[in-house]
Structures are given as structure tokens and as C-alpha cells.
Amino acid sequence: MTSAEMPSNPAGKRQVHLAAHFPGVNSTTVWADPRSRSQIDFTSFEQLARTAERGLFDFFFLAEGLRLREHKGRIHDLDVVGRPESITVLNALAGVTDRLGLAATVNATFNEPYETARRFAALDHLSAGRAAWNVVTSSDAFTGENFRRGGFLDRADRYTRAAEFVDVARQVWDAGAGRPLRHDGRHFTVEGPHGVARPPQGHPVVIQAGDSDEGREFAARAADVIFTRHGTLEAGRAFSADVKGRLARYGRARDDLKIMPGATCVLGDSAAEAQERAAAIRRQQVSPQNALLALEQVWGVDLSGYDPDGPLPDIDPVPDSALSQGRTHRGDVFALAEKWRALSLEKGLSIRQTVIETTGRQSFVGTPDAVAAEIDTFVQAGAADGFILVPHLTPGGLDDFVDRVVPLLQERGVFRSAYAGTTLRSHLGLAVPEVLHT
């Protein structure tokens, strides 16, 4: 990165990084809202990306699913179907944006590093240095049924394979600068010429999403950005201290990894109005049907006979249940069930109210001034380097934030007033990696 591309910071404050997550693969999106539009039509992707670029965001982020999730042996009818493949969408967005980073999720368990590296190199060239790769893993046989290898991979092996996968991808990118491409490892053997020049960023930005100890170690070793979720300032500071404290063992500085939790935002002209709007949105997100679904994912049994507006079940969960397929493992279901029961009893909450209170991600709710101040507080306190915003509407869910909060962050001197560089690495303040020669 040249000195002309380095982000300016005349006030000496930590700068806020912002990214936009295209909604649609989680329960955040409110499809019943008449303002929601297609999750397939390209104009939806284009509108949200243009809004993010107008707001001078670092990057635009697309999630990915390799198989439709199932519940009780059938596709869950509230899940999203038909989303286009991420890199295909971002290649198209490269032609209608100029500076916005373009981040695609690609699974390191059910793909191959040579081909993945070529695809991201192509996106980086087409976008003039704006590509990012969100590395995710999977160990479940349910997802593996769509692939030749099937679900053979043990859970303990998923991060070792992912680490080697990223290493091979970086060798492929460096091969574009003339470095020999020879790799013979536990999971991959790759040797041969590479037909794509080294990407403009050297290596496209690597993002990692996860919170397990293995995920944190993988991020410290291999990632440029970690996408996580922490609901309080204290939890964010503890997470940041832990992950960034691991960087030195890999010869990395603390600023070499950006921590960007996912977050939602609801604005109002007063605090009371914002809270009222946020509560209405959560009721839309957690319908009675979705509330029972969330509870069944913890208890592992059919709870369709329970009243969503009634108390939590008094039966014990069934661990390792196959009731839901393709969803995130919830860990110790007994401990989680006890936590939910205790909260329900303490506050007198129904099933639906308990799910509403326990399943929301980090949220900023308030007036534009209050939201800007809270975001600034998180970043200045070292609890995050910024946030990946997950709007509840497709594709207009970022408009209020860009129009009403971004100018206030700029007034505080903690957010750019213009892009200083042309690449995603320049937006994030990350150097271009050197080519490693053998």
C-alpha cells in the first residue's frame, strides 16, 4: 500500500470500519414487509451494494449455503431458496461499483483450493483489487451428500483442512508472480503452472467467521478479518484481547486482523420510537412458527403441540438430535435449555418472548446520534474494529443508516469522508503481502 492510499486519521482516533451483509439466509430478514423485494433479482444486490458504496463502506458481504436446511425431514418453509452463487453475483457487481470491496463465502470443506484461488484471482482482477473470501467450514454428512466425497470429514479435521486450503490458495496466487507451485500436504497435492497473474491485492482479503477456539486460532493464523457476534462491550473486549493476543505467535501485529461483529440497527427520532420499532421488527422476525422452530433446535424434539405464547417445556432436551439438518450446532443443549428456563422464569416470558430475547444479534437501537456514539464507543474501547451491518429489509435496509448515521461518524472524525485508495486492502489498512520465494 502506498502512502497516498493509507487512511488519514488527523484526530488520532481509531477509525470505524463498516461492511454490508446482504440479508436473506437467516432469520433477520423480514420477508412479510411490503418493502422487501427479491433475494434473486440482480437489482436487489445492485441497490444494496450501491447504497453501501455511497456510504463509503469497506465491503459488501454475501453468505452462502450449500444445501437447503431441513427440519423434521422436510425443507423448512420459512427458509430462503434460490439464492445465486456468491462469486457469480460479485463478478456482476464489480461492473456497477467502483471502490466497494466484494466478499464471497466459499466453503473450504467441499471445494478445491486451486480452483477456488483462480476464481478469487479473477474477481480481484475484474474488480481492480476489491475481492475478499469468507472462509467457512462444514463437517456434517448432510451437506456432504451433495458432493463426491460425502460427509467423511471429522469435525476435528475441518480447520486443519481449511488452514492447508488457505495456504495452497496463497501459493496459487503467488504463482501468478512466478513463484513455483508445488504443494504436497495431508489434504492436498498441487503442482503445475498457474494461468492467472497475481491478483492486484497480492492475496484477496481473507475473512473468517467463527467463535470456537479452533476458529479463533485459525483467524489469528490466516485471516485478515474475523466476522463474529458479541452483544456487550465487555464480551467484545474479551474476544478482541483473546484473538489479537494470539497474533504474535504467527509473526503478526494487532492491526493485521480486523474484528467486525455482525450487527443490526434500528433508528428513531427518539429513543422510545426506536425501541418501539425494534420490538415490532423482532416480533416479525420471530413469528410463532419460528419461535417453535428455534426451541425445537435446542430441545431436539417435536414441540408443535406447545403454545408459542405459553411457558417453556419442562422436559429435557435430546442431545445430538437429527431433527434439524444443516443448521449451526448449538453446543451444550442442556446448559442452554437451563439458561432459557431461568430467563423465562425470572422475567415471566413465554416461548416466543424467550426466543425473541435470546436469539437477537448485536443491535444498535436509538436515535442516529446515540447509535453513532455507541458504535464509536465500541471501536475506541477496542471491543471491535467495526461492524458488518445486517439489515432486516432487502434491499433498502441500509438507507437510513447511510443517510443519518454515517455523517455523524464523519463529524466525529472516526469514519472516512472519501475512499483514500482503490483496493479493499487500502480501505482496511492492510498491506499487500510479499511474494514468498523458495
Side-chain angles (χ1 to χ4, degrees):
M1 188 188 314
T2 67
S3 59
E5 291 181 317
M6 292 297 292
S8 61
N9 184 11
K13 297 180 179 179
R14 287 171 53 88
Q15 296 296 289
V16 173
H17 293 280
L18 294 174
H21 184 290
F22 186 88
V25 295
N26 50 51
S27 58
T28 302
T29 312
V30 178
W31 295 109
D33 192 299
R35 294 170 294 176
S36 284
R37 297 200 341 240
S38 173
Q39 83 282 6
I40 298 173
D41 194 293
F42 180 68
T43 58
S44 292
F45 296 98
E46 181 181 10
Q47 180 176 332
L48 193 68
R50 286 185 183 275
T51 301
E53 187 164 71
R54 178 168 61 85
L56 305 175
F57 282 29
D58 290 2
F59 60 88
F60 178 86
F61 179 75
L62 287 179
E64 182 68 288
L66 296 178
R67 180 169 178 174
L68 291 175
R69 295 172 289 190
E70 295 182 9
H71 188 66
K72 299 179 184 177
R74 62 182 184 273
I75 295 172
H76 176 45
D77 61 6
L78 296 181
D79 214 348
V80 172
V81 299
R83 264 276 287 275
E85 188 273 331
S86 296
I87 293 185
T88 303
V89 174
L90 295 180
N91 280 325
L93 287 176
V96 296
T97 56
D98 296 315
R99 300 294 180 92
L100 184 68
L102 303 169
T105 300
V106 174
N107 194 296
T109 303
F110 299 113
N111 284 284
E112 294 296 322
Y114 185 87
E115 176 60 20
T116 298
R118 290 182 72 248
R119 293 166 68 202
F120 276 103
L123 175 59
D124 209 48
H125 281 289
L126 289 173
S127 64
R130 297 186 281 135
W133 169 24
N134 179 41
V135 184
V136 296
T137 64
S138 177
S139 62
D140 64 275
F142 174 77
T143 301
E145 289 175 358
N146 278 342
F147 296 87
R148 177 175 56 83
R149 288 194 314 275
F152 80 97
L153 191 64
D154 290 336
R155 181 174 294 275
D157 292 334
R158 61 178 182 165
Y159 279 115
T160 59
R161 187 181 198 274
E164 186 178 340
F165 194 114
V166 174
D167 286 344
V168 175
R170 285 177 166 149
Q171 291 178 52
V172 174
W173 293 327
D174 284 347
R179 184 183 187 273
L181 177 56
R182 297 187 184 92
H183 178 90
D184 188 7
R186 176 183 173 189
H187 295 279
F188 307 106
T189 299
V190 181
E191 181 173 356
H194 179 49
V196 180
R198 193 173 194 243
Q201 295 186 104
H203 301 164
V205 169
V206 172
I207 305 170
Q208 190 267 337
D211 194 28
S212 66
D213 186 71
E214 297 91 344
R216 296 181 187 204
E217 197 67 24
F218 176 73
R221 178 183 183 274
D224 301 303
V225 176
I226 184 166
F227 177 35
T228 183
R229 57 182 297 173
H230 294 286
T232 66
L233 187 71
E234 294 75 17
R237 293 182 70 174
F239 178 84
S240 179
D242 177 49
V243 174
K244 294 203 174 189
R246 304 178 189 221
L247 292 169
R249 73 185 68 167
Y250 300 106
R252 306 181 67 195
R254 294 180 68 85
D255 284 341
D256 290 344
L257 176 66
K258 308 301 180 185
I259 296 176
M260 299 182 67
T264 62
C265 178
V266 180
L267 300 176
D269 292 333
S270 67
E273 180 186 352
Q275 290 292 343
E276 184 177 343
R277 290 189 62 200
I281 291 169
R282 287 298 288 145
R283 287 194 296 271
Q284 288 179 297
Q285 291 167 333
V286 184
S287 65
Q289 184 181 356
N290 258 337
L292 287 178
L293 170 69
L295 210 69
E296 288 174 340
Q297 288 176 326
V298 176
W299 262 258
V301 295
D302 185 347
L303 300 174
S304 58
Y306 283 77
D307 180 0
D309 294 318
L312 270 66
D314 56 4
I315 58 176
D316 288 332
V318 176
D320 302 318
S321 168
L323 194 71
S324 290
Q325 298 271 34
R327 295 182 180 273
T328 303
H329 181 66
R330 288 189 177 269
D332 186 345
V333 293
F334 293 104
L336 186 58
E338 283 305 310
K339 179 180 177 181
W340 284 18
R341 281 198 188 107
L343 179 67
S344 176
L345 288 172
E346 177 189 351
K347 296 188 175 183
L349 303 179
S350 67
I351 289 174
R352 188 182 182 193
Q353 290 168 333
T354 301
V355 173
I356 286 174
E357 184 147 339
T358 58
T359 60
R361 64 175 68 244
Q362 164 72 54
S363 295
F364 296 109
V365 179
T367 64
D369 278 319
V371 168
E374 190 174 4
I375 290 173
D376 190 17
T377 296
F378 266 82
V379 173
Q380 303 311 320
D385 292 291
F387 293 92
I388 298 176
L389 296 179
V390 186
H392 72 281
L393 291 178
T394 306
L398 281 180
D399 292 352
D400 278 356
F401 185 92
V402 168
D403 293 336
R404 304 180 69 187
V405 178
V406 166
L408 298 175
L409 292 172
Q410 292 167 334
E411 289 178 11
R412 287 173 168 266
V414 296
F415 192 68
R416 65 175 67 91
S417 57
Y419 287 113
T422 59
T423 69
L424 178 53
R425 285 188 174 273
S426 69
H427 305 341
L428 292 168
L430 301 172
V432 174
E434 296 183 358
V435 177
L436 300 177
H437 294 282
T438 56

